Amino acid sequence: MTDASLTVAATRPAKAPAAKFLSGAFVPRLIAGVTILALWEGVVRAFAPAYVAKPSGIVMAIPKVIVDPAFLNASFVTLSAVAQGLAIALVFGTMIGLLIGRSVVADRTLRHYVNGFYAVPMVVVLPLFSLWFGYSGATRLATIVFSSLFSIIVNVADGARAVPREYVEVSRSFRAGRISTLLEVVLPASMPYFLAGLRLAAGRALIGAVVAEFFTAIGGLGYFILYNSRTFHHNEAFVGVLLLAGFGVGFDMLVNGSIRRFMPWYRRDEAAS
Amino acid sequence: MTEPMLSTDVQRPETTVPPVTSQADARIRVNGLVKRYGTLEVFRGIDFEVGAREIVTIVGPSGCGKTTLLRCLNGLIAADEGEIWSNGTRVTEPIAGMAMVFQHFGLFPWKTVYDNVSYGLRMAGVPAAEIARRVPHFVNLVGLKGFEQAYPYQMSGGMQQRCGLARALAVEPNVLLMDEPFAAVDAQTREILQFELMRIWEERPTAMVFVTHSIEEAVLMGDRVFVLKGRPSSIKETITIDLPHPRTRETLREARFAELREQVWSTLMSEAREAEFKLET
Ligand SMILES: Nc1ncnc2c1ncn2[C@@H]1O[C@H](COP(=O)(O)OP(=O)(O)OP(=O)(O)O)[C@@H](O)[C@H]1O
Ligand SMILES: [Mg+2]
């Protein structure tokens, strides 16, 4: 193998975007989207009261809503809380997950608690959190962490358990310390599980934030949606919903971008084919 | 073991080195080693020594416990009876001065060649400046110059094992453990790697325990060949390979090489043939 072929191998996945657009799933996807929107618009116009959200109404509402300081402020507050909560869950979830996955003692001690909490719906802990943290941002943050933490722990622990024995033997053979083995060997080897947990956690974190705002009426995107729905501004509420959906998609793109940028060895496209 | 350890030493280029007589210069000493997995006894009564500049090759049928023996030697798993000594220490966990080359390379897919090769050095706490000096040397030594930033998935099996070799050599071990290092590469690459390993070894001889399936490889590389056999297995035969060093492609053509290969082959096969006879009669 020469240097040239190596470069080719490294940059190979890049495809001409235009070709991808026309040949791929783009056209059927577009047709499906337009059909759904048209049906929605038609049904609402024919049968529903004027305040019910419809695509045309939402499009009209967008320019008004996205310059509304209340909306911008609410979005910022909620999305930054989600980011913070996710970061906390990520750090602690990874640490606890690695511990449970690689230490029999930690596994035996913590397994049932983690699985138990993983199964608890966040809605039922909200009353407790609002008692402990008050009707404040702290309750929302706690709910976000609670909703996302356990999916990371459970997935990272599964990944850490599934690390091929050979990698761990190599690190032991070279006399690596325990912490170094966890971070340099076990964690990257569990990357597929880790990413699955992270994606799951991001979705759950968004739900946690919105539910916390619904429940405690603290200001934010969730509350913005709730308030606008209750005051018959359904189109405006829907812009908030779209932003949440956009956050989900954006987060996924961020994760995929980081994989491509920082983990060239992690090639899902190659592994699949 | 009463025979002199390095009977071939006198024929080597470095004749100033006195022939190893035994104990004093043994780099590895194994006494009465027994390993069981539950009720399965893998091997028993394993006794041997490896001199400081000696290559011992171990051949044996699949599943006879070659990998298990190497893992014991490396201190990765504990034997049930007996002991292993190396460099004046009883081996109960991986010790400094020993390095293993793994059958399936054992490279970390998330590290580049450079980072894989420097791994052992970093774990040994070698200063960064020293690592930066040493890694390129070993990358060059195994012929991977220019591939420092390549990831394992971008390399062929042969290149990956070169990287595995560089990683082990980089910590400058005085004991090298090789678990069928060339079994997973194609025949041509295997031959190239064998001679390259011999060239590297001649430049800086160490004690080496080399496990292989290939009788040819065992005779080519080894100063002594251990035949591991039986259930539980043990060292059934030790064949001293009195071929001169350095071993090169020429070695393969020597009559003595063919003789020794034949000898190892018949030792290895004798039991299989006996078993066959039993079936027939
Ligand atoms: N962790 C383990 N638990 C239980 N049994 C094991 C374990 N590892 C190996 N064995 C058994 O021990 C025996 C020896 O295995 P080992 O891998 O050492 O053989 P080997 O000589 O290296 O074989 P090969 O030539 O195929 O690599 C086999 O019967 C195997 O099934
Ligand atoms: Mg083996």
Side-chain angles (χ1 to χ4, degrees):
Chain A
M1 198 193 237
T2 64
D3 281 337
S5 66
L6 197 69
T7 329
V8 171
T11 55
R12 199 203 50 79
K15 256 188 223 153
K20 207 166 148 192
F21 247 57
L22 293 175
S23 68
F26 181 74
V27 173
R29 203 179 279 161
L30 187 72
I31 294 171
V34 170
T35 311
I36 291 167
L37 289 179
L39 271 175
W40 177 3
E41 182 83 29
V43 170
V44 170
R45 274 175 192 269
F47 307 108
Y51 57 78
V52 173
K54 51 184 176 290
S56 64
I58 297 167
V59 172
M60 305 275 270
I62 288 175
K64 206 166 34 147
V65 173
I66 57 169
V67 293
D68 180 359
F71 172 77
L72 291 177
N73 194 37
S75 311
F76 175 77
V77 168
T78 300
L79 296 185
S80 61
V82 168
Q84 269 176 51
L86 262 181
I88 295 172
L90 192 64
V91 171
F92 287 97
T94 304
M95 283 183 348
I96 300 170
L98 288 176
L99 203 66
I100 291 179
R102 295 309 305 181
S103 145
V104 179
V105 178
D107 189 18
R108 284 209 192 113
T109 316
L110 296 176
R111 159 174 261 167
H112 294 312
Y113 299 104
V114 167
N115 287 331
F117 279 120
Y118 185 49
V120 170
M122 66 196 85
V123 185
V124 306
V125 294
L126 256 169
L128 298 175
F129 282 0
S130 58
L131 276 180
W132 296 338
F133 300 106
Y135 287 89
S136 68
T139 297
R140 174 176 48 210
L141 189 63
T143 314
I144 294 171
V145 172
F146 179 86
S147 351
S148 50
L149 180 69
F150 297 100
S151 55
I152 294 182
I153 294 181
V154 168
N155 277 280
V156 169
D158 273 347
R161 269 183 218 113
V163 171
R165 189 183 70 180
E166 192 171 18
Y167 295 147
V168 180
E169 287 213 333
V170 170
S171 79
R172 283 190 52 217
S173 180
F174 284 102
R175 298 155 51 78
R178 256 184 99 81
I179 304 286
S180 140
T181 304
L182 281 183
L183 296 182
E184 265 193 71
V185 177
V186 175
L187 184 58
S190 354
M191 201 42 76
Y193 293 82
F194 173 85
L195 292 173
L198 185 59
R199 290 203 168 89
L200 216 58
R204 290 172 63 111
L206 276 183
I207 299 171
V210 169
V211 169
E213 289 173 11
F214 276 17
F215 192 85
T216 61
I218 36 180
L221 200 53
Y223 184 69
F224 177 89
I225 293 168
L226 186 70
Y227 179 82
N228 276 294
S229 329
R230 286 198 175 149
T231 55
F232 301 103
H233 294 101
H234 286 197
N235 290 317
E236 285 76 2
F238 236 95
V239 179
V241 174
L242 284 183
L243 182 66
L244 284 174
F247 182 85
V249 175
F251 186 79
D252 203 55
M253 284 167 65
L254 184 76
V255 170
N256 287 335
S258 319
I259 291 172
R260 233 168 280 134
R261 175 83 182 72
F262 302 110
M263 295 185 262
W265 50 271
Y266 186 85
R267 304 194 306 169
R268 289 186 304 163
D269 48 343
E270 285 282 314
S273 63
Chain B
M1 207 126 326
T2 49
E3 63 179 333
M5 297 290 295
L6 282 178
S7 49
T8 57
D9 232 10
V10 281
Q11 291 154 340
R12 290 183 188 178
E14 61 281 282
T15 40
T16 47
V17 180
V20 181
T21 41
S22 180
Q23 307 282 329
D25 220 28
R27 195 64 82 184
I28 301 180
R29 195 173 308 146
V30 178
N31 295 326
L33 213 62
V34 179
K35 177 66 195 174
R36 298 183 200 95
Y37 283 120
T39 54
L40 172 77
E41 194 164 78
V42 182
F43 50 70
R44 76 156 28 254
I46 305 277
D47 294 282
F48 65 89
E49 285 168 5
V50 184
R53 301 160 148 257
E54 185 186 26
I55 301 179
V56 161
T57 51
I58 299 178
V59 284
S62 192
C64 73
K66 302 183 295 295
T67 298
T68 305
L69 178 56
L70 275 195
R71 291 169 72 217
C72 287
L73 292 180
N74 198 193
L76 290 170
I77 52 173
D80 293 288
E81 286 169 36
E83 40 193 59
I84 300 161
W85 288 81
S86 180
N87 293 324
T89 343
R90 170 125 189 240
V91 178
T92 51
E93 57 180 33
I95 60 167
M98 234 190 227
M100 173 107 99
V101 175
F102 292 81
Q103 178 167 0
H104 301 290
F105 319 138
L107 297 180
F108 298 126
W110 49 89
K111 288 184 188 290
T112 59
V113 166
Y114 187 96
D115 291 337
N116 268 297
V117 174
S118 64
Y119 182 75
L121 295 171
R122 285 199 300 110
M123 294 306 115
V126 174
E130 173 70 7
I131 293 177
R133 202 183 55 75
R134 255 203 247 180
V135 172
H137 169 73
F138 285 99
V139 168
N140 290 353
L141 190 66
V142 299
L144 282 181
K145 194 184 171 78
F147 289 95
E148 287 85 352
Q149 297 312 315
Y151 284 93
Y153 77 87
Q154 295 171 309
M155 303 193 298
S156 65
M159 290 164 78
Q160 292 187 38
Q161 194 56 299
R162 285 166 189 270
C163 183
L165 190 58
R167 177 175 64 185
L169 293 172
V171 297
E172 303 192 332
N174 51 33
V175 177
L176 261 175
L177 305 173
M178 315 279 261
D179 188 9
E180 303 193 38
F182 308 140
V185 301
D186 64 90
Q188 276 165 292
T189 310
R190 176 182 198 139
E191 198 164 291
I192 294 168
L193 289 176
Q194 284 168 354
F195 290 114
E196 282 200 33
L197 177 62
M198 287 314 285
R199 169 183 63 79
I200 291 167
W201 185 87
E202 304 283 354
E203 273 170 32
R204 188 179 170 281
T206 60
M208 193 191 292
V209 180
F210 190 108
V211 161
T212 175
H213 259 120
S214 154
I215 295 169
E216 186 140 325
E217 188 169 71
V219 174
L220 176 68
M221 314 284 292
D223 293 311
R224 281 185 299 157
V225 176
F226 293 170
V227 177
L228 199 64
K229 274 205 320 195
R231 255 172 206 279
S233 67
S234 57
I235 298 175
K236 284 284 145 60
E237 199 92 41
T238 302
I239 296 141
T240 302
I241 306 299
D242 49 6
L243 293 165
H245 276 262
R247 306 269 170 86
T248 59
R249 289 192 54 82
E250 301 301 311
T251 313
L252 294 173
R253 281 196 285 275
E254 282 177 39
R256 183 73 185 134
F257 177 82
E259 252 172 64
L260 288 163
R261 190 182 54 195
E262 213 44 41
Q263 194 184 337
V264 175
W265 189 88
S266 56
T267 315
L268 201 55
M269 292 301 159
S270 63
E271 213 160 84
R273 244 181 290 157
E274 277 162 30
E276 237 173 342
F277 269 115
K278 266 184 210 142
L279 277 179
E280 281 167 15
T281 52

